[in-house]
Amino acid sequence: MEYKLCILVGKGQGESFKLAPGKEYTVGRHSENDIKIEDKNISRNHFEIRIKGNKYFITDLGSKNGTFVDGRDLKPGIETEVREGVPIVIGMTILGLGEMSESSLKPFLDSAGFSSEVNEYGEVVMPDRVVAIKRI
C-alpha cells in the first residue's frame, strides 16, 4: 500500500507527497514544513500527519482558519483518525489521503463544481458561474 497526501483542489493541484509509516510530517505555508502548500489562507504550521499501523492521523496545530475533515472542524491538538478518500480542507485547498483520493474523490469534487483553477491569491476561480448583482 502506498501512503500519500494529494492536493486535489488549489494551488499545486495534482501534486502528491509520499508518506512513510511511523514518521511525523508537518504541513503548512512555511518553507520549514515537511510539506509546504502555497495558500495564503493556510497557517505557517497548519497540521501534523502521521501513519500508525495502516491508518492516517491528523492533528491541527492551532491553525487560524482550521482544518476540516469530512466537513467537521478538528479541535487543535487532538489527534484524529482520517480515512482514505475523505476530503481535508485547509484554507482554499482540498487535500486527500491515499491512492483512492485521486481516483474517486477528485472526480466527485469536479462533479460538485469545484474549479481546478486558483488565482495568484490562492482564491478558487469558478469561470462557469454567473453571479447576478442587484443594483439599488
Side-chain angles (χ1 to χ4, degrees):
M1 178 175 198
E2 184 177 32
Y3 299 101
K4 62 183 176 176
L5 175 72
C6 307
I7 300 177
L8 301 173
V9 175
K11 196 168 188 177
Q13 176 181 327
E15 283 185 71
S16 64
F17 307 89
K18 289 186 179 183
L19 306 173
K23 188 173 184 315
E24 193 172 277
Y25 298 87
T26 55
V27 178
R29 194 169 31 99
H30 195 275
S31 61
E32 290 182 8
N33 284 292
D34 299 303
I35 299 171
K36 181 183 178 197
I37 299 177
E38 305 230 7
D39 178 336
K40 69 176 185 166
N41 297 299
I42 293 174
S43 294
R44 292 168 57 89
N45 301 302
H46 203 97
F47 71 82
E48 227 169 48
I49 184 167
R50 73 175 66 196
I51 299 163
K52 291 194 258 181
N54 61 350
K55 298 178 181 180
Y56 294 95
F57 292 87
I58 289 180
T59 305
D60 183 274
L61 298 173
S63 63
K64 182 178 179 184
N65 293 323
T67 301
F68 297 84
V69 174
D70 206 15
R72 294 183 340 261
D73 190 6
L74 298 185
K75 293 183 181 179
I78 306 294
E79 186 175 69
T80 305
E81 182 182 349
V82 180
R83 292 183 325 272
E84 185 174 326
V86 173
I88 302 163
V89 179
I90 57 173
M92 297 299 291
T93 303
I94 302 176
L95 307 167
L97 297 169
E99 296 169 15
M100 192 173 152
S101 61
E102 290 176 301
S103 63
S104 64
L105 190 54
K106 178 67 175 125
F108 167 75
L109 292 170
D110 289 343
S111 72
F114 285 93
S115 171
S116 61
E117 296 181 45
V118 176
N119 66 21
E120 65 272 16
Y121 303 106
E123 300 166 334
V124 176
V125 178
M126 300 181 109
D128 57 343
R129 303 255 176 139
V130 178
V131 178
I133 301 173
K134 184 178 178 182
R135 297 187 184 257
I136 299 177

